[in-house]
Amino acid sequence: MKFRSVSNPVTSVPPRVTPPKRISMRLAEWLLDSPRLGDSPSVKHLAGRLLKQPAREGVVAAQSRLGQLMCRECGNARDRRIGHDLLRQAARAGDDRARRALGEIQD
């Protein structure tokens, strides 16, 4: 007796569901903009981790916020350089906040 190779929906592995990147962006922005939470180093670290992937994918707002965070909060030169590069990319894409932050850094 031959068995057909029909996929059984009960035993098949469901496709991985990736959360929308907008949620991580909105959560990171909310954390950074919150007056009480935004001052905590651990919250800034979490927000940076949430912004990293959208910034890598070219989301201008994520590049701008992560660049500002890295330039202001990171102690080592490598992270500040990466933050500066992110701000430069966001400014080239037309983000006014990134342009102002670049102006403040270079002054």
Side-chain angles (χ1 to χ4, degrees):
M1 184 162 141
K2 292 186 177 181
F3 293 103
R4 283 193 223 163
S5 62
V6 176
S7 66
N8 187 350
V10 174
T11 60
S12 65
V13 178
R16 296 190 84 196
V17 177
T18 58
K21 287 162 188 53
R22 286 182 293 192
I23 292 174
S24 65
M25 274 286 306
R26 289 178 66 194
L27 177 61
E29 288 178 340
W30 178 80
L31 287 171
L32 291 173
D33 293 339
S34 174
R36 290 179 60 201
L37 295 173
D39 294 333
S40 170
S42 61
V43 171
K44 290 177 184 176
H45 181 75
L46 175 64
R49 290 181 59 92
L50 290 171
L51 289 170
K52 187 188 291 186
Q53 188 62 37
R56 282 182 180 164
E57 293 175 356
V59 178
V60 176
Q63 289 174 343
S64 176
R65 291 303 294 258
L66 184 59
Q68 291 174 34
L69 187 64
M70 292 179 82
C71 285
R72 292 179 184 153
E73 302 297 327
C74 293
N76 60 19
R78 178 182 174 267
D79 288 344
R80 282 194 306 270
R81 181 184 50 79
I82 293 169
H84 197 263
D85 290 342
L86 286 169
L87 283 174
R88 199 174 308 124
Q89 287 176 359
R92 266 191 234 127
D95 189 69
D96 290 332
R97 187 185 279 181
R99 285 186 187 141
R100 280 187 301 237
L102 276 174
E104 291 172 5
I105 291 169
Q106 293 175 353
D107 288 342

